[in-house]
Amino acid sequence: MARSVYVNWVLTSGRAELLDGFRRTPDPARAPLQGKQKHGSEDPPLQRQPIPYNDAASRMFAKRTNWNLAANRLSEALAVYRTAGKPLLDLTVSNPTECGFEYDRSAILNALSNAAALSYEPNPKGLESARRAVAGYYAERKDEVSIEDIFLTTSTSEAYSYVFRTLCDPGDELLIPSPSYPLFDFLADIQDVKLARYPLLYDHGWQIDFHALEQAITPRTRGVIVVHPNNPTGHFAKQAEIARLNSICSAREMAIIADEVFLDFALDGSRAASFAANRGAPTFTLSGLSKISGLPQMKAAWLIAGGPQQWKSEAVARLEVIADTYLSVNAPVQLAMPEFLAQRHAFHKQVISRIRRNLAELDRQLAEQKACARLTVEGGWCVVLRVPATGSDEDLAIELLTTQGVSVHPGHFFELAADGYLVVSLITPERIFAEGTSRLLSSM
Ligand SMILES: Cc1ncc(COP(=O)(O)O)c(C=O)c1O
């Protein structure tokens, strides 16, 4: 299976256990590379040490594609478990279309049959009607975004690739939060960008470790990625953190790249500030329909350039060439965007109420035992559990699967720094969540 297909399938289908196959611990990708690449090239080293399956094949392809695609023990165990046809309590689901939410089927399907889709109106930024709908989403949040600064893309991942291509030459660096979700390594590999991590620290809540962030900056650092709120920690960047990011990035001519796919899912019902109207530093804001409206299959997302006017005009002009080269978003989906965005209200209501009920059930169960706890969660679709670190979290996940029929993400999948963490999805259907967490906690 092609790797990109594999990764997308893995992430959007909620079968992240398969992607986990790429991310065994100890992960060679986390160790800084020294010296030359395998075949004696003088090129600057790639960030990820290639692990060739077969030397002949690895000579024929670009080094950036020398990924280790072998399954790990957890994904093998899952495959065996599924093949045996045993019932699975899957606490890793992330595909909203498979979680029992109600969608307005006719509104969604009717929106896709707009006769205007019979003609082709190429526009690198995307159709104006769709960009107006995106600007309307921000206007409702009281953020003013010009439609001239919006670019439609097929996914947030594609938006990342446009940003990486706009900002980085091969070997340039971007900072990413740790923990965070696992696609960044692949996105960076494909664009020949190097990643450095800045830690998020947990102390009754998550915060950015600014000392470590500043230490990680080198002359080749082009930007800082902020996932707002982060997946899986659920941490929103706070006003003071945003101000500090602005001053660090503007002083060093770096950009903020803000991933806001979970922005609407604040648990306390508050409206978190978006980076879309940020003026304090060069900023790219990314979001899309896969989470906001629960429509990952529609492949509709966007990228907004923001920040100081002169920088923004330059960024928009460069992005326009990249976007014009692909013109990747199809007409029916662009024409349907106003309706798809309108669908977010009904979707949001269902998701937030499920997340709150699942968290309340989890807290009720946690109160009845002492071995496990959960970390504070402000928003997003996941919760991090702290469990006794009696072995690796991968071993624990395998044991939960084979003895309890419960599937969870080991913390290392999201780069949690130590063993003793599991991540579970809060959008899991409630009966499965209650039974799965009950079996998990009773086995500790
Ligand atoms: C933080 C974050 N950003 C982006 C994405 C991918 O979004 P898209 O489907 O628009 O590529 C995900 C997917 O889970 C995610 O967790």
Side-chain angles (χ1 to χ4, degrees), residues 5 12-13 17 21 84 127 151 165 170 184 208 235 243 275 289 359-360 364 386 406 414 416 421 430 434:
V5 173
T12 56
S13 69
E17 70 277 5
L127 289 180
F151 289 80
R165 283 325 235 179
F184 288 127
I208 296 174
H235 150 258
F275 279 84
L289 296 184
L359 260 187
R364 190 191 65 72
R386 197 168 3 220
V406 175
F414 293 98
L416 278 132
Y421 292 99
E430 284 154 54

Side-chain angles (χ1 to χ4, degrees), residues 18-35:
L18 293 170
L19 181 58
D20 195 43
F22 305 123
R23 304 197 48 79
R24 281 166 211 258
T25 43
D27 180 351
R30 292 192 214 164
L33 281 191
Q34 276 134 28

Side-chain angles (χ1 to χ4, degrees), residues 77-89 401 405:
L78 257 162
V80 169
Y81 192 91
R82 286 185 202 273
T83 309
K86 296 186 195 163
L88 181 67
L89 294 168
L401 175 70

